mmCIF file of all heavy atoms in Angstrom:
data_model
loop_
_atom_site.group_PDB
_atom_site.id
_atom_site.type_symbol
_atom_site.label_atom_id
_atom_site.label_comp_id
_atom_site.label_asym_id
_atom_site.label_seq_id
_atom_site.Cartn_x
_atom_site.Cartn_y
_atom_site.Cartn_z
ATOM 1 N N VAL A 1135 9.974 8.840 -16.106
ATOM 2 C CA VAL A 1135 9.490 8.040 -15.046
ATOM 3 C C VAL A 1135 10.481 6.876 -14.730
ATOM 4 O O VAL A 1135 11.235 6.458 -15.639
ATOM 5 C CB VAL A 1135 8.089 7.367 -15.157
ATOM 6 C CG1 VAL A 1135 7.087 8.487 -15.306
ATOM 7 C CG2 VAL A 1135 8.022 6.580 -16.418
ATOM 8 N N THR A 1136 10.475 6.402 -13.532
ATOM 9 C CA THR A 1136 11.245 5.213 -13.171
ATOM 10 C C THR A 1136 10.371 4.016 -12.703
ATOM 11 O O THR A 1136 9.097 4.278 -12.615
ATOM 12 C CB THR A 1136 12.215 5.555 -12.049
ATOM 13 O OG1 THR A 1136 11.490 5.838 -10.835
ATOM 14 C CG2 THR A 1136 13.096 6.691 -12.453
ATOM 15 N N GLY A 1137 10.924 2.959 -12.434
ATOM 16 C CA GLY A 1137 10.103 1.765 -11.989
ATOM 17 C C GLY A 1137 9.521 1.985 -10.652
ATOM 18 O O GLY A 1137 8.512 1.371 -10.305
ATOM 19 N N THR A 1138 10.046 3.017 -9.888
ATOM 20 C CA THR A 1138 9.549 3.184 -8.561
ATOM 21 C C THR A 1138 8.470 4.246 -8.473
ATOM 22 O O THR A 1138 7.760 4.331 -7.530
ATOM 23 C CB THR A 1138 10.693 3.528 -7.572
ATOM 24 O OG1 THR A 1138 11.307 4.660 -8.066
ATOM 25 C CG2 THR A 1138 11.645 2.369 -7.465
ATOM 26 N N ASP A 1139 8.378 5.055 -9.541
ATOM 27 C CA ASP A 1139 7.382 6.139 -9.340
ATOM 28 C C ASP A 1139 6.308 6.198 -10.398
ATOM 29 O O ASP A 1139 5.276 6.988 -10.269
ATOM 30 C CB ASP A 1139 8.064 7.607 -9.352
ATOM 31 C CG ASP A 1139 8.651 7.976 -10.687
ATOM 32 O OD1 ASP A 1139 8.628 7.100 -11.635
ATOM 33 O OD2 ASP A 1139 9.196 9.092 -10.777
ATOM 34 N N LEU A 1140 6.283 5.299 -11.336
ATOM 35 C CA LEU A 1140 5.257 5.303 -12.399
ATOM 36 C C LEU A 1140 3.807 5.100 -11.811
ATOM 37 O O LEU A 1140 2.955 5.961 -11.976
ATOM 38 C CB LEU A 1140 5.429 4.185 -13.413
ATOM 39 C CG LEU A 1140 4.309 4.005 -14.405
ATOM 40 C CD1 LEU A 1140 4.057 5.228 -15.306
ATOM 41 C CD2 LEU A 1140 4.556 2.736 -15.241
ATOM 42 N N GLU A 1141 3.664 4.054 -10.962
ATOM 43 C CA GLU A 1141 2.328 3.769 -10.366
ATOM 44 C C GLU A 1141 1.937 4.852 -9.416
ATOM 45 O O GLU A 1141 0.739 5.231 -9.381
ATOM 46 C CB GLU A 1141 2.331 2.344 -9.773
ATOM 47 C CG GLU A 1141 2.380 1.276 -10.756
ATOM 48 C CD GLU A 1141 2.295 -0.131 -10.225
ATOM 49 O OE1 GLU A 1141 1.541 -0.242 -9.223
ATOM 50 O OE2 GLU A 1141 2.963 -1.045 -10.730
ATOM 51 N N ASP A 1142 2.893 5.409 -8.635
ATOM 52 C CA ASP A 1142 2.539 6.500 -7.692
ATOM 53 C C ASP A 1142 2.047 7.733 -8.477
ATOM 54 O O ASP A 1142 1.176 8.427 -8.072
ATOM 55 C CB ASP A 1142 3.759 6.873 -6.858
ATOM 56 C CG ASP A 1142 4.104 5.771 -5.893
ATOM 57 O OD1 ASP A 1142 3.259 4.911 -5.502
ATOM 58 O OD2 ASP A 1142 5.188 5.790 -5.358
ATOM 59 N N ARG A 1143 2.724 8.069 -9.545
ATOM 60 C CA ARG A 1143 2.296 9.201 -10.364
ATOM 61 C C ARG A 1143 0.942 9.060 -10.944
ATOM 62 O O ARG A 1143 0.188 9.988 -10.967
ATOM 63 C CB ARG A 1143 3.348 9.528 -11.438
ATOM 64 C CG ARG A 1143 4.598 10.041 -10.796
ATOM 65 C CD ARG A 1143 5.616 10.877 -11.551
ATOM 66 N NE ARG A 1143 5.196 11.496 -12.737
ATOM 67 C CZ ARG A 1143 5.936 11.588 -13.854
ATOM 68 N NH1 ARG A 1143 7.215 11.125 -13.843
ATOM 69 N NH2 ARG A 1143 5.556 12.251 -14.866
ATOM 70 N N VAL A 1144 0.661 7.844 -11.470
ATOM 71 C CA VAL A 1144 -0.670 7.644 -12.051
ATOM 72 C C VAL A 1144 -1.685 7.583 -10.941
ATOM 73 O O VAL A 1144 -2.807 8.119 -11.085
ATOM 74 C CB VAL A 1144 -0.672 6.317 -12.891
ATOM 75 C CG1 VAL A 1144 -2.103 5.954 -13.334
ATOM 76 C CG2 VAL A 1144 0.221 6.496 -14.134
ATOM 77 N N ALA A 1145 -1.329 7.045 -9.788
ATOM 78 C CA ALA A 1145 -2.313 6.994 -8.677
ATOM 79 C C ALA A 1145 -2.731 8.374 -8.195
ATOM 80 O O ALA A 1145 -3.854 8.588 -7.697
ATOM 81 C CB ALA A 1145 -1.706 6.227 -7.515
ATOM 82 N N ALA A 1146 -1.887 9.428 -8.354
ATOM 83 C CA ALA A 1146 -2.232 10.751 -7.945
ATOM 84 C C ALA A 1146 -3.057 11.462 -8.986
ATOM 85 O O ALA A 1146 -3.578 12.575 -8.694
ATOM 86 C CB ALA A 1146 -0.921 11.511 -7.813
ATOM 87 N N MET A 1147 -3.256 10.890 -10.148
ATOM 88 C CA MET A 1147 -4.105 11.498 -11.203
ATOM 89 C C MET A 1147 -5.530 11.083 -11.045
ATOM 90 O O MET A 1147 -5.883 10.119 -10.447
ATOM 91 C CB MET A 1147 -3.629 11.058 -12.580
ATOM 92 C CG MET A 1147 -2.246 11.432 -12.890
ATOM 93 S SD MET A 1147 -1.698 10.772 -14.579
ATOM 94 C CE MET A 1147 -0.075 11.373 -14.629
ATOM 95 N N SER A 1148 -6.389 11.972 -11.496
ATOM 96 C CA SER A 1148 -7.895 11.702 -11.452
ATOM 97 C C SER A 1148 -8.243 10.600 -12.390
ATOM 98 O O SER A 1148 -7.724 10.473 -13.523
ATOM 99 C CB SER A 1148 -8.659 12.983 -11.782
ATOM 100 O OG SER A 1148 -8.361 13.963 -10.918
ATOM 101 N N VAL A 1149 -9.245 9.814 -11.959
ATOM 102 C CA VAL A 1149 -9.730 8.761 -12.919
ATOM 103 C C VAL A 1149 -10.359 9.520 -14.096
ATOM 104 O O VAL A 1149 -11.050 10.474 -14.024
ATOM 105 C CB VAL A 1149 -10.866 7.913 -12.155
ATOM 106 C CG1 VAL A 1149 -11.488 7.002 -13.139
ATOM 107 C CG2 VAL A 1149 -10.214 7.133 -11.035
ATOM 108 N N GLY A 1150 -10.016 8.971 -15.322
ATOM 109 C CA GLY A 1150 -10.491 9.541 -16.573
ATOM 110 C C GLY A 1150 -9.549 10.570 -17.152
ATOM 111 O O GLY A 1150 -9.657 10.924 -18.298
ATOM 112 N N ALA A 1151 -8.515 10.976 -16.348
ATOM 113 C CA ALA A 1151 -7.527 11.894 -16.944
ATOM 114 C C ALA A 1151 -6.715 11.170 -18.028
ATOM 115 O O ALA A 1151 -6.529 9.972 -17.987
ATOM 116 C CB ALA A 1151 -6.541 12.383 -15.850
ATOM 117 N N GLU A 1152 -6.243 11.875 -19.015
ATOM 118 C CA GLU A 1152 -5.524 11.322 -20.168
ATOM 119 C C GLU A 1152 -4.035 11.767 -20.016
ATOM 120 O O GLU A 1152 -3.791 12.943 -19.718
ATOM 121 C CB GLU A 1152 -6.069 11.681 -21.479
ATOM 122 C CG GLU A 1152 -7.470 11.060 -21.744
ATOM 123 C CD GLU A 1152 -8.003 11.266 -23.157
ATOM 124 O OE1 GLU A 1152 -7.365 11.930 -23.947
ATOM 125 O OE2 GLU A 1152 -9.018 10.602 -23.413
ATOM 126 N N VAL A 1153 -3.149 10.776 -20.197
ATOM 127 C CA VAL A 1153 -1.708 11.144 -20.071
ATOM 128 C C VAL A 1153 -0.996 10.477 -21.289
ATOM 129 O O VAL A 1153 -1.282 9.374 -21.676
ATOM 130 C CB VAL A 1153 -1.123 10.601 -18.719
ATOM 131 C CG1 VAL A 1153 -1.353 9.157 -18.623
ATOM 132 C CG2 VAL A 1153 0.297 10.959 -18.528
ATOM 133 N N GLU A 1154 -0.094 11.222 -21.833
ATOM 134 C CA GLU A 1154 0.744 10.761 -22.958
ATOM 135 C C GLU A 1154 1.832 9.854 -22.364
ATOM 136 O O GLU A 1154 2.536 10.200 -21.432
ATOM 137 C CB GLU A 1154 1.324 11.854 -23.697
ATOM 138 C CG GLU A 1154 2.011 11.423 -24.931
ATOM 139 C CD GLU A 1154 2.555 12.619 -25.815
ATOM 140 O OE1 GLU A 1154 3.226 13.452 -25.299
ATOM 141 O OE2 GLU A 1154 2.350 12.650 -27.021
ATOM 142 N N VAL A 1155 1.910 8.656 -22.993
ATOM 143 C CA VAL A 1155 2.915 7.670 -22.518
ATOM 144 C C VAL A 1155 3.871 7.426 -23.598
ATOM 145 O O VAL A 1155 3.572 7.182 -24.768
ATOM 146 C CB VAL A 1155 2.196 6.327 -22.109
ATOM 147 C CG1 VAL A 1155 3.267 5.241 -21.714
ATOM 148 C CG2 VAL A 1155 1.219 6.537 -20.969
ATOM 149 N N HIS A 1156 5.238 7.436 -23.251
ATOM 150 C CA HIS A 1156 6.291 7.056 -24.113
ATOM 151 C C HIS A 1156 6.943 5.859 -23.508
ATOM 152 O O HIS A 1156 7.213 5.796 -22.387
ATOM 153 C CB HIS A 1156 7.383 8.229 -24.233
ATOM 154 C CG HIS A 1156 6.851 9.456 -24.811
ATOM 155 N ND1 HIS A 1156 6.776 9.664 -26.135
ATOM 156 C CD2 HIS A 1156 6.457 10.594 -24.208
ATOM 157 C CE1 HIS A 1156 6.264 10.869 -26.370
ATOM 158 N NE2 HIS A 1156 6.058 11.454 -25.223
ATOM 159 N N ALA A 1157 7.072 4.864 -24.488
ATOM 160 C CA ALA A 1157 7.609 3.527 -24.000
ATOM 161 C C ALA A 1157 8.438 2.928 -25.121
ATOM 162 O O ALA A 1157 8.234 3.197 -26.272
ATOM 163 C CB ALA A 1157 6.481 2.613 -23.517
ATOM 164 N N PHE A 1158 9.348 2.079 -24.637
ATOM 165 C CA PHE A 1158 10.184 1.332 -25.554
ATOM 166 C C PHE A 1158 9.599 -0.086 -25.688
ATOM 167 O O PHE A 1158 9.374 -0.737 -24.625
ATOM 168 C CB PHE A 1158 11.600 1.250 -25.234
ATOM 169 C CG PHE A 1158 12.351 2.420 -25.681
ATOM 170 C CD1 PHE A 1158 12.707 3.404 -24.740
ATOM 171 C CD2 PHE A 1158 12.824 2.523 -26.989
ATOM 172 C CE1 PHE A 1158 13.457 4.486 -25.219
ATOM 173 C CE2 PHE A 1158 13.542 3.663 -27.430
ATOM 174 C CZ PHE A 1158 13.828 4.636 -26.502
ATOM 175 N N ARG A 1159 9.304 -0.609 -26.871
ATOM 176 C CA ARG A 1159 8.928 -1.993 -27.092
ATOM 177 C C ARG A 1159 10.101 -2.567 -27.972
ATOM 178 O O ARG A 1159 10.281 -2.259 -29.102
ATOM 179 C CB ARG A 1159 7.603 -2.029 -27.873
ATOM 180 C CG ARG A 1159 7.176 -3.485 -28.163
ATOM 181 C CD ARG A 1159 5.828 -3.574 -28.706
ATOM 182 N NE ARG A 1159 4.868 -3.154 -27.647
ATOM 183 C CZ ARG A 1159 3.652 -2.639 -27.922
ATOM 184 N NH1 ARG A 1159 3.215 -2.528 -29.107
ATOM 185 N NH2 ARG A 1159 2.892 -2.340 -26.883
ATOM 186 N N ARG A 1160 10.940 -3.230 -27.175
ATOM 187 C CA ARG A 1160 12.224 -3.609 -27.733
ATOM 188 C C ARG A 1160 13.035 -2.383 -28.153
ATOM 189 O O ARG A 1160 13.269 -1.644 -27.276
ATOM 190 C CB ARG A 1160 12.075 -4.652 -28.909
ATOM 191 C CG ARG A 1160 11.545 -6.050 -28.395
ATOM 192 C CD ARG A 1160 11.253 -7.016 -29.552
ATOM 193 N NE ARG A 1160 10.123 -6.665 -30.409
ATOM 194 C CZ ARG A 1160 8.901 -6.804 -30.110
ATOM 195 N NH1 ARG A 1160 8.561 -7.287 -28.918
ATOM 196 N NH2 ARG A 1160 7.970 -6.458 -30.967
ATOM 197 N N ASP A 1161 13.338 -2.181 -29.324
ATOM 198 C CA ASP A 1161 14.111 -1.016 -29.735
ATOM 199 C C ASP A 1161 13.306 0.111 -30.278
ATOM 200 O O ASP A 1161 13.812 1.137 -30.686
ATOM 201 C CB ASP A 1161 15.215 -1.411 -30.810
ATOM 202 C CG ASP A 1161 16.303 -2.282 -30.148
ATOM 203 O OD1 ASP A 1161 16.534 -2.189 -28.900
ATOM 204 O OD2 ASP A 1161 16.951 -3.063 -30.929
ATOM 205 N N GLU A 1162 11.990 -0.048 -30.375
ATOM 206 C CA GLU A 1162 11.065 0.917 -30.962
ATOM 207 C C GLU A 1162 10.444 1.782 -29.926
ATOM 208 O O GLU A 1162 9.838 1.299 -28.923
ATOM 209 C CB GLU A 1162 10.040 0.192 -31.769
ATOM 210 C CG GLU A 1162 9.051 1.165 -32.487
ATOM 211 C CD GLU A 1162 7.883 0.393 -33.144
ATOM 212 O OE1 GLU A 1162 7.938 -0.878 -33.235
ATOM 213 O OE2 GLU A 1162 7.052 1.073 -33.668
ATOM 214 N N LEU A 1163 10.501 3.151 -30.057
ATOM 215 C CA LEU A 1163 9.846 4.101 -29.192
ATOM 216 C C LEU A 1163 8.363 4.183 -29.627
ATOM 217 O O LEU A 1163 8.122 4.489 -30.800
ATOM 218 C CB LEU A 1163 10.474 5.400 -29.259
ATOM 219 C CG LEU A 1163 9.889 6.505 -28.334
ATOM 220 C CD1 LEU A 1163 10.024 6.086 -26.848
ATOM 221 C CD2 LEU A 1163 10.503 7.904 -28.523
ATOM 222 N N ILE A 1164 7.438 3.927 -28.719
ATOM 223 C CA ILE A 1164 6.065 4.067 -29.017
ATOM 224 C C ILE A 1164 5.439 5.173 -28.130
ATOM 225 O O ILE A 1164 5.909 5.455 -27.052
ATOM 226 C CB ILE A 1164 5.284 2.766 -28.839
ATOM 227 C CG1 ILE A 1164 5.445 2.258 -27.391
ATOM 228 C CG2 ILE A 1164 5.757 1.692 -29.774
ATOM 229 C CD1 ILE A 1164 4.470 1.066 -27.092
ATOM 230 N N THR A 1165 4.428 5.805 -28.687
ATOM 231 C CA THR A 1165 3.760 6.891 -28.023
ATOM 232 C C THR A 1165 2.291 6.552 -28.041
ATOM 233 O O THR A 1165 1.746 6.177 -29.077
ATOM 234 C CB THR A 1165 3.956 8.261 -28.605
ATOM 235 O OG1 THR A 1165 5.412 8.496 -28.640
ATOM 236 C CG2 THR A 1165 3.323 9.356 -27.817
ATOM 237 N N THR A 1166 1.619 6.638 -26.854
ATOM 238 C CA THR A 1166 0.190 6.367 -26.869
ATOM 239 C C THR A 1166 -0.446 7.228 -25.738
ATOM 240 O O THR A 1166 0.297 7.862 -24.995
ATOM 241 C CB THR A 1166 -0.050 4.817 -26.461
ATOM 242 O OG1 THR A 1166 -1.427 4.538 -26.574
ATOM 243 C CG2 THR A 1166 0.580 4.428 -25.165
ATOM 244 N N THR A 1167 -1.735 7.181 -25.682
ATOM 245 C CA THR A 1167 -2.449 7.943 -24.686
ATOM 246 C C THR A 1167 -3.102 6.947 -23.778
ATOM 247 O O THR A 1167 -3.784 5.991 -24.154
ATOM 248 C CB THR A 1167 -3.522 8.928 -25.295
ATOM 249 O OG1 THR A 1167 -2.789 9.789 -26.190
ATOM 250 C CG2 THR A 1167 -4.240 9.676 -24.232
ATOM 251 N N LEU A 1168 -2.865 7.147 -22.485
ATOM 252 C CA LEU A 1168 -3.484 6.246 -21.416
ATOM 253 C C LEU A 1168 -4.562 7.064 -20.746
ATOM 254 O O LEU A 1168 -4.336 8.219 -20.261
ATOM 255 C CB LEU A 1168 -2.396 5.782 -20.411
ATOM 256 C CG LEU A 1168 -2.878 4.838 -19.397
ATOM 257 C CD1 LEU A 1168 -1.977 3.635 -19.287
ATOM 258 C CD2 LEU A 1168 -2.965 5.597 -18.027
ATOM 259 N N LYS A 1169 -5.718 6.479 -20.651
ATOM 260 C CA LYS A 1169 -6.860 7.149 -19.884
ATOM 261 C C LYS A 1169 -6.861 6.457 -18.496
ATOM 262 O O LYS A 1169 -7.050 5.243 -18.328
ATOM 263 C CB LYS A 1169 -8.196 6.871 -20.592
ATOM 264 C CG LYS A 1169 -9.303 7.582 -19.882
ATOM 265 C CD LYS A 1169 -10.594 7.432 -20.792
ATOM 266 C CE LYS A 1169 -11.711 8.296 -20.143
ATOM 267 N NZ LYS A 1169 -12.944 8.171 -20.939
ATOM 268 N N VAL A 1170 -6.562 7.225 -17.500
ATOM 269 C CA VAL A 1170 -6.374 6.654 -16.106
ATOM 270 C C VAL A 1170 -7.609 5.935 -15.623
ATOM 271 O O VAL A 1170 -8.708 6.486 -15.785
ATOM 272 C CB VAL A 1170 -5.935 7.838 -15.097
ATOM 273 C CG1 VAL A 1170 -5.845 7.304 -13.768
ATOM 274 C CG2 VAL A 1170 -4.693 8.480 -15.546
#
Side-chain angles (χ1 to χ4, degrees):
V1135 294
T1136 65
T1138 56
D1139 70 358
L1140 171 65
E1141 291 183 35
D1142 290 340
R1143 290 201 18 216
V1144 172
M1147 296 177 182
S1148 300
V1149 172
E1152 293 188 353
V1153 59
E1154 186 178 50
V1155 176
H1156 296 279
F1158 277 101
R1159 180 169 294 156
R1160 292 175 291 284
D1161 292 332
E1162 179 185 358
L1163 180 65
I1164 59 172
T1165 303
T1166 185
T1167 300
L1168 181 131
K1169 186 173 182 179
V1170 177

